Amino acid sequence: MSEILIIGAGPAGLSGAIACAQHGLKVTIIDEFIKPGGRLLGQLHQEPSGEWWNGMKEAEKLINETKTLPIDIRCGVSVYNIERHDADWYVYTNEGVFESPYVLIATGAAEYAIPVPGWTLPGVMSIGASQVMTNVHRVQVGKKGIIIGANVLAFAILNELQMAGINIERVVLPAESPISKKESNPEEVLKILTEAGHLAPSALLRNGSKLMKIDSLRRMALKYFPKGGMKINGTPLQLKKAAIEIVGNEKVEGVKLATIDSQGNIISGTEKLYEADFVCIAGGLYPLAELAAVAGCPFKYIPQLGGHVPIHSKNMETPIPGMFVAGNITGIESGKIAMAQGTVAGLAIAMASQSNAKIDEQLQQALQKVEEVRTKSPIQFIPEIAEGRLAMERVWEKESNRGELERVIF
Amino acid sequence: MHKDNTIIICRCEEVTYSTLQETAKLHQCSARELKLRTRAGMGFCGGRTCRPILDRVIEDFIPNTTADAIPLKYQPPVRAVTFGTVGGSND
């Protein structure tokens, strides 16, 4: 039996493991994928400083570090249930039951889908799937692709696909429907893109992003937005085209697009079929918190964190005894933040099991580091992330003041 | 959006938007009842693809879905496993 079980071998899980193993705790990490690293494995981009962020190398560094410590990484292990009896967690997997007094849930995020008529055809995938195929498995996704959905995640991955020589013909919006809301409205989309920092699709948006925060200027920009789209390294972003339907017999053969106005209303008679052999749907990310929910953790709905998030403290503890969380399960942010949060969680667990001044000092430093990384972060998947974090801090305070939080039923 | 609302929401169980809409209207049901009546979100993937969309759709159909509670409860098993694994025989 290990002293701590970590679910998820991504940036948060690996960093958490290293932090608590450095204080002598025996750690087991389990992960569903065939190799450790999580979403780091797919990441490759240039930072505004000019430096490259090579996620695969970052993952390798972390994995090498785990090898010098009492950390056991088990891949290909899926958790289907988690329960607490007396002082221990029982984690049920396809490889048997794992027992541990502490558990760190670092399961990351999942992608929002945007249903578009024809989205069940082979050749339609989430944008994240195209990233995994390209950067992890090194498989060519197709010859001619269309991305539906314009957000920060879409542009980050578009850039990676372009570097790999994968041809993306255009980026368009999903057509307005009861299921797609903000993501179908060019004005709303432009508002989000102005927050995208160096990943913004053109110099105009990048340098003019301050100006573009002014509503009237944004409206004007949309009015004069080029019909053919704005080029992002050769791929046009077409904010005034919407995907009506993905068509094909046995697999994707094309996408029916229509011209839309600034509010996303379809202009009739403008429908036209564009050829494609694959389609990536980019709906953004949400915290993957199913295990925390099964364990009985209370949740808070905070859109600025990406949706329903398990209630947690700054130290990454939940109201459930012995259960900690870190990484995107607590809110959608970059891998660097996940690493910093993982360290906090690892140290908090070390504190919980053997409180001493030295660990506490490291914990305080780790907490500061999270703030530092967040402030320095060139992009945010959610522009209002800091507000979301603050909202969660208030929730935790309120719940703590309700009393009895200290290791009792919530 | 197709005029006839035949767009599939739950891919595993092939449940369309109009089926969800009609069922919600006819039975004035809770999120859970809507799921059980249509099987939306109950397929092989365990709702990992359509759950957030179902949550959205349900909020549109059924008012007073409380904000903080997750509309559809998560229940084990959260991954597809064999009866053998759950039962402990591990064949």
Side-chain angles (χ1 to χ4, degrees), chain A residues 34-333:
Chain A
I34 45 173
K35 52 182 173 183
R39 297 305 297 176
L40 281 177
L41 299 174
Q43 293 171 6
L44 182 66
H45 64 257
Q46 197 169 15
E47 312 246 296
S49 63
E51 250 176 276
W52 281 86
W53 174 260
N54 183 341
M56 224 175 244
K57 283 240 170 78
E58 296 296 327
E60 212 178 281
K61 268 192 241 164
L62 290 172
I63 294 157
N64 283 338
E65 209 175 340
T66 63
K67 285 178 186 157
T68 65
L69 294 160
I71 299 171
D72 181 23
I73 303 179
R74 305 269 304 267
C75 289
V77 180
S78 291
V79 178
Y80 65 86
N81 193 11
I82 175 169
E83 300 175 326
R84 191 179 162 88
H85 295 297
D86 302 323
D88 281 318
W89 286 100
Y90 293 78
V91 176
Y92 299 84
T93 79
N94 58 326
E95 296 285 327
V97 184
F98 291 77
E99 274 180 63
S100 172
Y102 294 101
V103 61
L104 169 58
I105 306 184
T107 43
E111 290 187 78
Y112 279 114
I114 307 170
V116 174
W119 72 309
T120 49
L121 280 169
V124 182
M125 66 198 77
S126 72
I127 188 87
S130 73
Q131 184 191 39
V132 173
M133 281 173 81
T134 306
N135 289 352
V136 183
H137 299 298
R138 310 284 165 103
V139 175
Q140 186 180 15
V141 192
K143 293 203 163 65
K144 219 177 204 190
I146 293 179
I147 295 177
I148 301 176
N151 50 45
V152 176
L153 183 71
F155 292 119
I157 298 176
L158 168 65
N159 191 29
E160 294 173 5
L161 294 173
Q162 286 170 331
M163 281 191 280
I166 304 289
N167 173 34
I168 299 288
E169 293 272 304
R170 59 192 80 243
V171 180
V172 300
L173 304 190
E176 204 200 352
S177 80
I179 315 149
S180 70
K181 287 169 183 165
K182 273 187 175 178
E183 55 268 38
S184 300
N185 183 320
E187 254 190 47
E188 294 287 342
V189 171
L190 192 59
K191 209 165 167 182
I192 293 162
L193 294 185
T194 55
E195 308 277 354
H198 76 294
L199 274 178
S202 87
L204 177 74
L205 283 185
R206 256 191 319 266
N207 304 328
S209 64
K210 286 252 155 56
L211 285 175
M212 296 293 267
K213 281 175 190 165
I214 302 164
D215 285 356
S216 56
L217 282 181
R218 208 169 45 234
R219 247 171 254 136
M220 193 145 69
L222 261 184
K223 196 172 165 196
Y224 297 108
F225 196 84
K227 265 225 168 104
M230 188 183 261
K231 290 266 171 85
I232 316 165
N233 289 333
T235 300
L237 159 66
Q238 297 181 303
L239 284 182
K240 287 189 157 177
K241 288 264 186 248
I244 309 277
E245 187 182 0
I246 302 165
V247 290
N249 242 331
E250 298 282 308
K251 55 185 171 58
V252 174
E253 288 167 21
V255 181
K256 219 184 264 170
L257 301 180
T259 304
I260 50 175
D261 66 17
S262 303
Q263 292 303 315
N265 301 307
I266 290 166
I267 297 165
S268 58
T270 58
E271 280 185 29
K272 201 179 151 194
L273 183 68
Y274 292 82
E275 209 184 291
D277 66 350
F278 70 99
V279 172
C280 303
I281 294 182
L285 299 166
Y286 69 91
L288 188 60
E290 51 198 358
L291 289 173
V294 167
C297 185
F299 278 70
K300 192 83 193 165
Y301 179 71
I302 304 180
Q304 297 97 324
L305 293 179
H308 284 97
V309 179
I311 291 182
H312 61 276
S313 73
K314 268 188 128 169
N315 288 351
M316 301 289 134
E317 63 197 309
T318 70
I320 307 286
M323 194 178 95
F324 292 72
V325 286
N328 269 358
I329 185 175
T330 71
I332 305 304
E333 286 190 86

